[in-house]
Amino acid sequence: MLGHRTLRGSPEIKWRLSAGDLTRLVELQLTFLKRGAQTVAPGGRLVYSTCSIEREENEDVVRRFLEGNASFRLITPSARLDLITPDGFVRTFPHRHGCDGFFAAVLESLNG
């Protein structure tokens, strides 16, 4: 497990990851998102965020979650406009924003 370390702060991480790790992490992230969603109050919001720039761990996980959870919808977050993607996610890149690469999505429960 990578813990809380990021690639920018610990560049050696990239040498320890394999293709199979991404598949495992995607399934783990989806499990975390599903479990977190179970605790959201009706009409409440859930923020899904990672310190990854991999589409598979981010947009794809959110899309898979939404496909199986019609009681949630993606909403546009309150963030600087230059950080919001055309699809309504927050994304940072080290070479553009001078910080670690991050992703965030805001999901709202429709049961409220």
Side-chain angles (χ1 to χ4, degrees):
M1 190 77 175
L2 296 178
H4 66 279
R5 295 168 42 164
T6 60
L7 189 58
R8 183 174 174 177
S10 303
E12 76 282 357
I13 291 172
K14 67 184 170 187
W15 304 115
R16 293 192 317 231
L17 296 177
S18 69
D21 289 333
L22 182 58
T23 300
R24 182 181 56 79
L25 290 171
V26 165
E27 294 307 315
L28 186 61
Q29 295 289 40
L30 185 57
T31 298
F32 289 158
L33 184 53
K34 287 177 180 178
R35 287 185 183 165
Q38 294 171 358
T39 67
V40 178
R45 293 182 178 173
L46 171 66
V47 175
Y48 171 74
S49 181
T50 72
C51 57
S52 167
I53 60 171
E54 299 297 331
R55 177 170 287 280
E56 295 89 346
E57 275 188 279
N58 298 314
E59 290 92 341
D60 292 352
V61 167
V62 172
R63 286 191 179 98
R64 281 178 61 191
F65 171 78
L66 290 172
E67 286 171 4
N69 294 280
S71 62
F72 280 87
R73 68 179 177 133
L74 180 69
I75 64 170
T76 302
S78 298
R80 289 184 359 206
L81 292 179
D82 64 318
L83 302 180
I84 299 175
T85 71
D87 294 327
F89 302 111
V90 171
R91 180 177 280 291
T92 64
F93 291 101
H95 65 285
R96 288 187 196 157
H97 305 104
C99 61
D100 288 318
F102 286 99
F103 170 87
V106 180
L107 304 169
E108 185 175 62
S109 171
L110 299 176
N111 296 327

